[in-house]
Amino acid sequence: MGRVTIQQVAKAANVSPSTVSNLLNGRTERMVPATRERIEAAIAELGYRPNRAARQLRTGRTQTVGLIVPSVGNPFWGAFARELEVAALAVGCSVLLCNSERDPERERRYVEELWEDGVRGIVLCSSLPTLDHLADVVARGLRLVTFDRPAQPGDPDSVVSVSIDNHVGGFLAGSHLTSLGHERLTFVSGSLASVNRTGRFRGFCTALEAVDLDPTAMPLWTGFEDTPFGDVEAAEVGRRAAHALFSGTEEPPTGVVAINDMTALGFCRGLRDQGLRVGSDVSVVGFDDIILADLYDPPLTTIRQPIARMAALALGEVLDDGDREPGRSVLLRPELVVRESSAPPPVGGVPERRTAEVRASDLRASDVSTTDGAVR
Amino acid sequence: MGRVTIQQVAKAANVSPSTVSNLLNGRTERMVPATRERIEAAIAELGYRPNRAARQLRTGRTQTVGLIVPSVGNPFWGAFARELEVAALAVGCSVLLCNSERDPERERRYVEELWEDGVRGIVLCSSLPTLDHLADVVARGLRLVTFDRPAQPGDPDSVVSVSIDNHVGGFLAGSHLTSLGHERLTFVSGSLASVNRTGRFRGFCTALEAVDLDPTAMPLWTGFEDTPFGDVEAAEVGRRAAHALFSGTEEPPTGVVAINDMTALGFCRGLRDQGLRVGSDVSVVGFDDIILADLYDPPLTTIRQPIARMAALALGEVLDDGDREPGRSVLLRPELVVRESSAPPPVGGVPERRTAEVRASDLRASDVSTTDGAVR
DNA sequence: TCTGTGCGGTGTAACGATGCACCAAGGTAC
DNA sequence: GTACCTTGGTGCATCGTTACACCGCACAGA
C-alpha cells in the first residue's frame, strides 16, 4: 500500500534505521546537525509516518488514553468527552471512548481491554462506590484517574481522582433554595449508591441544617431500588420523581435539587405534565450546567462543573510520568449559576393544579414509588 | 507483565504456534476435534488474549472502526456515537471517536490518521459539500461511509452513504406547518453549505409550493456568512435567528422549521427572550428528535431520525466485505413527531410582546444579520 | 515396490520499529 | 607506543502473530 518504512528513510538519508529511530525518539544529543537535517529532509520528502502497531509491539506503549463514561448519549458526558479530546489533541494523544452504561462488569471488561491495548492510562467516569472490580488491573500497573468520583477509603493507592467538591455543590444548591425562603425541599437522584450522590446529598443536608431545617423531615424521594436506569434515562428518573412527589398524599416540596441537569430537566417535564410551573410553582436546581440548562424554558438554575479545566487536569494526571503523589484527589470548586427555574416559594404552597392532560402513556413503566423514611 | 503469548499456549497444548493461530483465525476445517479442544483448554487456562499490536503489524488490519462526528458535545452526535458503539460491541469491534468540529482540515487529518492506524473503515458524519479533501485516502482503499450526507455527484465511487431522506423530512416539517394553517414560514439553519441543509430546505420549499405558497416571499434567515459555528453552538444560531427575525421591521413568520433540534431549542430560547411563547405565538419544528426534544417545555415537534437503525446500517456498510454496490446511498424515511411546539397560527399574527427583559448580554457577540433575498 | 494424494499439522520468514551493545576513528595522556 | 576516552553512529536480536510453503505419514491403485 505504498507505506513508507523507517528503512526507506534510512536509505534515503544514508544512515542506519537505528539513527532514524534515535532522531524520532529524541535521542539527538550526540548527533551531528548535518545528519539530523538529512534525516529530517528524507522524512519530509517521503512523507514518512511511523507505524504505530510496530512501535507499540516493540515498546508496549501507546499514545492513546482510554475514556470510560456512563454514556455519551448524555450531554454532560458528551461535552466532557469532547473537552478531553481537545486536551488530548493538544499533546498528540488520541482518546478511545467507551460507554459503560454504569454496568460494573462492562466497565471491568473495557478497562481490561484498554489495558491490553496498551493505553497510557484511563480516565474513568464512574460513580461506583468501590473500585474492587478493577483492583487487578490497577495492581498490574494501570494508571487510573477517576473523574467525578473522589477517592474513597478502600481505593487502590495509585488511583488519582479529579472532581468537583460535591459537598460544596450540594450545599450551594441547597442554601440557594433556603435563602429564597423554601422550607420543604427534596433531593432527587436515580441511584443511591453513587459516590457523588452521597457528597451532593450531604451538602444539601448541611445547607438545610444551617437554617435549622431538619433534613429527615423533608419529603423524600428514594429513587428506584433496583431499576438500573442508564444515563440516557436520567431524565426519566426526574420525571417519575415529579409524578410521584406531586401526586402522593403528602404535602409536596416547594423546591428540589436534582443530582444532575438531565434529571432536573426530566423533573421539570414531570412538573409540566401535572400542570405545575417551574420557578413560580416549584423551584428546581440542577447540577452540571450542560448547554441545555441555559436553553431550557425556564433556564435552569444549576451548579456548574468546570469541565474543560477538569478534562485538562484529568489528562495531565494520566500522562504525567513525573512525581505524582499517589492516591491524591483534586477537588475543584463548583459554582452556582442562578437562572429562572428557582424563585421564592409560592405563597400558600404548591397549587393543586394537576390538569386532566396527564397521559398515562407518558410514563413508560409502572415502577414508581415514594417512601418516607429516615435519611441514612 | 505476565503477558501470555501464543507460544505458551502452543506449548501447553502440545502443538505449534501456527496451529493455535489457525484456530484463532477460524481455519479449522482440517483440524481434528481433539486438537482443537486441547488448544481451547490451554487458551482458557492460561487466559490467553491475542496481542492486537502484533496482529495488526502482521496483517495490517484492525477490529476498529473510526467515527468522525462534528462534536460529541452535541446530544445528537453523542446519541449516535453511543448507538454505533452498541452496534460495534455486538460484533466485537471498537470505535475510535473523533470530533471534527466541522473543520475540513481537521477532518482530513483524522481520516488520514485513522487510516494509518489501520481501521477497518470510517463512519464520517460530515455535511461538507465535497469529499475532495479525502479523495486521496479513499483512492488508497479506505472504506468510507458517510452518515447524514447522501452521496453527491462528485463523490468517489466507493463511498457509501447512510442517511434519512432529507427532502422528505423537510417536506414533512413544512407541510405539518402549512396544514396547521401557517402562511408565513422560515427555515433556520447555521451554515448554508451543508448537504443535508440543502435537502431539508428543498423539501420545506416543496411543502410550501404544494399549498401555493411562494418560498421566495417568506421572511428569510440566511444564517451567518462566515461565522464558523461549531455544533455545540448550534443552539446559539437558533437563538440569534429568533432575535433577528422578531426584532426586524419585516413582518415575522408564524412558524419555523429548524435544521436540527439544537437550533430549534435555541430558537425557542430566543423567542422566550422576547416574551414570545412557543406553540401559541410561534410554531417551531425541529429535526432529529434528540432526547431533549421531548423534555423541553413545550415538548418539541420534530422530525425523527432512526439513529439506532442507521448506526447499525452504517456499521454494516463499513464491515461487510461482501458484494457492496459502490456508490450506493441508503436512505431511510424520517418520521414526523408532533408535540406541543407547533399549533395553528395565532389570529392576528405574532403579537408584539417583546418585554423589557431582553438583556443585551444574552447575545454573545454582535454579529447578527438578516437579509432578504431570493431563494437560491 | 513405486507413485499419487489427502490429511493434519509444522517451520519459518516476515511485519516495522526499537534500543542495547558494540565499533571504528581520532584525540589525549603518559 | 600503547592504553583509554570520546564522538557519532551502526548491527542485530526482538516484540507476538500470521500465512505460505512444505513435510511426514498412511493408504490406495497399479
Side-chain angles (χ1 to χ4, degrees):
Chain A
M1 212 66 77
R3 196 148 178 62
V4 183
T5 75
I6 203 172
Q7 273 85 349
Q8 299 175 35
V9 174
K11 195 167 297 173
N14 234 333
V15 293
S16 80
S18 307
T19 307
V20 180
S21 171
N22 285 337
L23 173 57
L24 253 37
N25 293 283
R27 285 182 289 269
T28 54
E29 324 84 39
R30 27 212 284 175
M31 187 179 297
V32 99
T35 311
R36 179 186 189 142
E37 280 156 24
R38 275 210 320 285
I39 298 175
E40 279 167 348
I43 288 178
E45 182 163 359
L46 297 173
Y48 168 73
R49 306 279 312 257
N51 179 317
R52 291 217 187 151
R55 207 171 223 185
Q56 185 187 341
L57 174 58
R58 191 64 242 265
T59 64
R61 283 178 252 121
T62 340
Q63 284 298 78
T64 304
V65 310
L67 170 63
I68 303 182
V69 298
S71 166
V72 266
N74 178 311
F76 177 67
W77 297 119
F80 180 70
R82 178 182 178 234
E83 295 297 345
L84 194 76
E85 204 215 346
V86 168
L89 195 64
V91 296
C93 277
S94 42
V95 176
L96 204 43
L97 179 74
C98 310
N99 299 300
S100 71
E101 310 287 346
R102 287 205 194 283
D103 172 357
E105 173 53 19
R106 201 160 150 172
E107 194 169 290
R108 198 193 56 72
R109 278 213 325 271
Y110 273 131
V111 167
E112 199 83 41
E113 197 166 315
L114 289 171
W115 168 248
E116 281 175 358
D117 281 0
V119 295
R120 292 273 297 266
I122 294 179
V123 176
L124 175 67
C125 303
S126 169
S127 38
L128 295 171
T130 98
L131 296 180
D132 293 351
H133 56 308
L134 310 178
D136 257 34
V137 212
V138 173
R140 281 183 272 153
L142 173 68
R143 291 183 78 95
L144 187 66
V145 176
T146 61
F147 174 83
D148 199 28
R149 180 190 179 285
Q152 298 298 298
D155 290 356
D157 269 357
S158 69
V159 176
V160 170
S161 87
V162 173
S163 72
I164 54 159
D165 189 324
N166 285 306
H167 191 275
V168 170
F171 180 82
L172 285 173
S175 54
H176 169 62
L177 289 177
T178 57
S179 75
L180 284 169
H182 290 267
E183 297 186 335
R184 290 191 64 76
L185 296 171
T186 295
F187 188 89
V188 171
S189 94
S191 87
L192 293 164
S194 87
V195 166
N196 57 29
R197 194 256 181 207
T198 309
R200 291 174 194 179
F201 183 62
R202 293 241 171 86
F204 170 79
C205 292
T206 307
L208 299 201
E209 284 156 1
V211 295
D212 289 327
L213 290 173
D214 178 7
T216 64
M218 297 292 146
L220 194 67
W221 163 250
T222 59
F224 308 103
E225 286 183 16
D226 278 323
T227 328
F229 271 95
D231 248 55
V232 173
E233 293 84 36
E236 189 61 21
V237 170
R239 195 168 177 180
R240 292 200 189 185
H243 283 264
L245 283 168
F246 290 87
S247 61
T249 51
E250 200 189 5
E251 191 184 344
T254 62
V256 161
V257 174
I259 186 75
N260 58 43
D261 283 349
M262 288 302 286
T263 300
L265 260 29
F267 194 89
C268 291
R269 182 65 160 88
L271 290 178
R272 184 179 191 279
D273 291 340
Q274 316 201 43
L276 292 167
R277 280 170 38 199
V278 177
S280 45
D281 291 341
V282 181
S283 289
V284 178
V285 177
F287 219 109
D288 290 347
D289 195 24
I290 60 179
I291 342 138
L292 294 131
D294 182 51
L295 242 44
Y296 201 71
D297 190 358
L300 192 69
T301 295
T302 190
I303 304 296
R304 175 178 297 162
Q305 299 208 44
I307 51 169
R309 255 193 312 147
M310 296 174 87
L313 272 170
L315 188 75
E317 294 293 341
V318 167
L319 299 181
D320 275 1
D321 289 320
D323 45 349
R324 73 168 191 173
E325 226 169 306
R328 75 205 191 92
S329 286
V330 181
L331 286 188
L332 275 71
R333 219 189 127 71
E335 188 187 342
L336 171 70
V337 181
V338 179
R339 296 206 182 88
E340 301 171 38
S341 68
S342 56
V347 285
V350 178
E352 279 269 0
R353 236 203 294 164
R354 266 157 256 140
T355 66
E357 282 175 39
V358 186
R359 284 152 299 180
S361 65
D362 281 350
L363 283 171
R364 286 194 209 146
S366 56
D367 209 356
V368 181
S369 67
T370 22
T371 326
D372 297 296
V375 177
R376 205 176 57 91
Chain B
M1 211 69 76
R3 196 152 179 60
V4 182
T5 75
I6 203 171
Q7 271 88 348
Q8 300 176 36
V9 175
K11 196 167 292 173
N14 234 332
V15 292
S16 79
S18 308
T19 307
V20 181
S21 171
N22 285 336
L23 173 58
L24 254 36
N25 293 282
R27 283 181 289 271
T28 54
E29 324 84 38
R30 30 210 282 177
M31 187 179 296
V32 99
T35 310
R36 178 185 190 141
E37 281 156 23
R38 274 211 320 287
I39 299 175
E40 279 167 349
I43 288 178
E45 182 163 358
L46 298 174
Y48 167 72
R49 305 278 313 257
N51 178 317
R52 290 216 188 153
R55 207 171 224 186
Q56 185 187 342
L57 175 59
R58 189 65 245 261
T59 64
R61 282 179 253 122
T62 340
Q63 282 299 79
T64 305
V65 310
L67 170 62
I68 303 181
V69 298
S71 167
V72 266
N74 178 310
F76 177 66
W77 296 119
F80 180 70
R82 178 183 180 231
E83 294 297 346
L84 194 76
E85 204 215 346
V86 168
L89 196 64
V91 296
C93 276
S94 41
V95 176
L96 205 42
L97 180 73
C98 311
N99 299 299
S100 71
E101 311 287 347
R102 289 205 192 284
D103 172 356
E105 173 52 20
R106 200 159 152 173
E107 195 169 290
R108 196 193 58 72
R109 278 212 325 270
Y110 273 130
V111 167
E112 199 83 41
E113 197 167 315
L114 289 170
W115 168 248
E116 281 173 359
D117 282 359
V119 295
R120 291 274 295 266
I122 295 180
V123 177
L124 175 67
C125 303
S126 167
S127 40
L128 295 172
T130 98
L131 296 179
D132 293 351
H133 56 309
L134 311 177
D136 258 34
V137 211
V138 173
R140 281 184 272 154
L142 172 69
R143 291 183 77 96
L144 187 65
V145 176
T146 61
F147 175 83
D148 198 29
R149 179 190 180 284
Q152 299 296 298
D155 290 357
D157 269 358
S158 69
V159 176
V160 171
S161 87
V162 174
S163 72
I164 54 158
D165 190 324
N166 285 305
H167 191 276
V168 169
F171 181 83
L172 285 172
S175 54
H176 169 62
L177 289 177
T178 58
S179 75
L180 284 170
H182 290 268
E183 297 188 336
R184 290 191 64 75
L185 297 171
T186 296
F187 188 89
V188 171
S189 96
S191 86
L192 293 165
S194 88
V195 166
N196 58 29
R197 194 256 181 204
T198 309
R200 291 173 194 180
F201 182 61
R202 292 241 171 87
F204 170 78
C205 291
T206 307
L208 299 201
E209 284 156 2
V211 295
D212 290 327
L213 290 173
D214 178 7
T216 63
M218 297 294 148
L220 193 66
W221 163 250
T222 59
F224 307 103
E225 285 183 17
D226 279 322
T227 329
F229 271 96
D231 249 55
V232 173
E233 293 84 35
E236 190 59 22
V237 170
R239 195 167 178 181
R240 292 201 188 186
H243 283 265
L245 283 166
F246 290 87
S247 61
T249 52
E250 202 188 7
E251 193 184 341
T254 62
V256 160
V257 174
I259 187 73
N260 59 43
D261 283 350
M262 287 303 285
T263 301
L265 260 31
F267 194 90
C268 292
R269 182 63 161 87
L271 290 177
R272 183 178 191 280
D273 291 341
Q274 317 203 39
L276 292 168
R277 281 172 38 201
V278 178
S280 44
D281 292 341
V282 181
S283 288
V284 177
V285 177
F287 220 108
D288 291 346
D289 196 22
I290 59 179
I291 343 137
L292 294 133
D294 183 51
L295 241 45
Y296 202 71
D297 189 358
L300 192 69
T301 295
T302 191
I303 304 296
R304 176 178 298 162
Q305 298 209 45
I307 52 168
R309 256 194 309 146
M310 295 174 90
L313 273 171
L315 189 74
E317 294 293 340
V318 167
L319 298 180
D320 276 359
D321 288 321
D323 45 350
R324 74 167 190 173
E325 226 168 307
R328 76 205 191 91
S329 286
V330 181
L331 285 188
L332 274 72
R333 219 188 127 72
E335 188 187 342
L336 173 70
V337 181
V338 179
R339 297 206 181 89
E340 300 170 40
S341 67
S342 57
V347 285
V350 178
E352 278 270 359
R353 242 208 287 167
R354 265 157 258 140
T355 67
E357 283 176 37
V358 185
R359 284 152 299 180
S361 65
D362 281 351
L363 283 171
R364 285 193 209 148
S366 56
D367 209 354
V368 181
S369 68
T370 24
T371 326
D372 298 298
V375 177
R376 208 176 56 90

